[in-house]
Amino acid sequence: MVTDDAVTRAANTVTVLGGPTALIRLAGWTLLTDPTFDAAGTEYQDGPVLVRKTADPALKPAELPALDAVLVSHTGHQDNLDTAGRTVASGASKVFTTVAGAADLGGAAVGLAPWQTRTLLQRGRTPLNITAVPARHGPVGTEDITGPVTGFLLHTDDGSAPSVYVSGDTVDLDAMSALADRYRVDVALLHLGAAGFEELGDIRLSLTAVQAVEARRLLGDPFVVAVHAEGWAHYTEDRSHVQQVFDAAGVPLHWPTPGEPITLLAPYTR
């Protein structure tokens, strides 16, 4: 179990809870990405495809620490926002997502256009910027099928904490190159797994391992944390394959144990 003490023991941490869901503690703020908290074995019919969850989350919603914000890359797919995850998001005081996602969620949800920035502010705390990063949930031409999605960059103006990129479900390497042109990226939570369905043929809706290696290079060789890679049946590349690809390329990949915080150094050193 991750307690408040475990999450805050280090100034900056990432704790992956399963699938795309991660707790990020950065510059004194606590954020949750793509909430998925339904039980293993839950199935969802999404148009022509069946989505099935294969692992329980490392935490239950009641065990979460107090959250300053929830980041939702998109609201249309249950492997990024399932039924229990929607309840968590609806109870948050701040939710950042796509413009379409904000209309879907309502309430406290704020839709961010590409490259738009909102800042978390509170007296006595370092302001934390949340910048929406363009994303595309599949090859060019699949946008009408997959719907809008966004990534996020978490960063401070003074550089006192490492900048953290949360890719969301995207294969848009050009957008990652554009991100690196605009900002330094110290840590990247890359949505891996090469998500795909037999009904969609060879289309991959999240990064393959080969794409992830290239993404790391384009981003300026940040510290990469694997997320969205286990816990759902439609991931077509397993941990062994992904690790082999990274090892063959001679680049590091951090594969976290669900529920165990990873300390992010500040200032970040490669």
Side-chain angles (χ1 to χ4, degrees):
M1 179 187 301
V2 178
T3 64
D4 282 312
D5 287 343
V7 172
T8 59
R9 190 176 299 126
N12 304 300
T13 62
V14 171
T15 307
V16 175
L17 303 183
T21 308
L23 276 169
I24 301 174
R25 179 75 174 175
L26 195 67
W29 302 89
T30 302
L31 303 94
L32 180 72
T33 71
D34 282 356
T36 55
F37 291 97
D38 288 348
T42 306
E43 295 183 339
Y44 319 82
Q45 190 69 42
D46 187 358
V49 303
L50 183 69
V51 182
R52 180 169 56 88
K53 193 167 189 180
T54 60
D56 289 323
L59 286 182
K60 296 178 181 179
E63 298 172 315
L64 292 170
L67 301 173
D68 295 300
V70 174
L71 309 178
V72 180
S73 65
H74 60 304
T75 64
H77 298 148
Q78 291 90 343
D79 63 316
N80 294 83
L81 186 67
D82 61 17
T83 302
R86 279 183 174 267
T87 300
V88 170
S90 68
S93 60
K94 293 184 178 66
V95 180
F96 298 98
T97 184
T98 64
V99 173
D104 177 10
L105 291 173
V110 174
L112 299 179
W115 302 121
Q116 185 176 2
T117 298
R118 290 293 185 98
T119 303
L120 297 179
L121 296 169
Q122 185 173 309
R123 184 181 297 274
R125 301 171 77 177
T126 301
L128 182 65
N129 301 313
I130 301 173
T131 297
V133 181
R136 190 183 66 248
H137 197 350
V140 173
T142 60
E143 294 88 342
D144 289 343
I145 300 173
T146 59
V149 62
T150 187
F152 302 94
L153 183 73
L154 312 177
H155 53 112
T156 61
D157 288 336
D158 64 5
S160 59
S163 57
V164 177
Y165 169 51
V166 182
S167 74
D169 286 5
T170 186
V171 297
D172 190 348
L173 299 184
D174 289 339
M176 297 184 197
S177 180
L179 172 61
D181 287 341
R182 292 169 179 248
Y183 298 99
R184 187 188 77 247
V185 179
D186 296 320
V187 178
L189 275 61
L190 295 184
H191 287 214
L192 305 178
F197 298 91
E198 184 178 348
E199 293 84 353
L200 300 180
D202 293 333
I203 292 174
R204 293 295 174 258
L205 305 175
S206 60
L207 293 171
T208 67
V210 171
Q211 288 173 325
V213 168
E214 177 64 5
R216 179 181 181 273
R217 184 188 69 81
L218 292 172
L219 291 166
D221 299 331
F223 179 80
V224 174
V225 179
V227 297
H228 192 273
E230 294 179 310
W232 294 80
H234 59 286
Y235 301 152
T236 67
E237 294 183 351
D238 62 17
R239 176 173 181 168
S240 175
H241 172 80
V242 175
Q243 192 65 60
Q244 286 176 13
V245 172
F246 270 73
D247 289 346
V251 295
L253 172 65
H254 194 101
W255 204 287
T257 299
E260 294 189 5
I262 303 164
T263 300
L264 307 176
L265 300 179
Y268 181 71
T269 55
R270 290 181 172 84

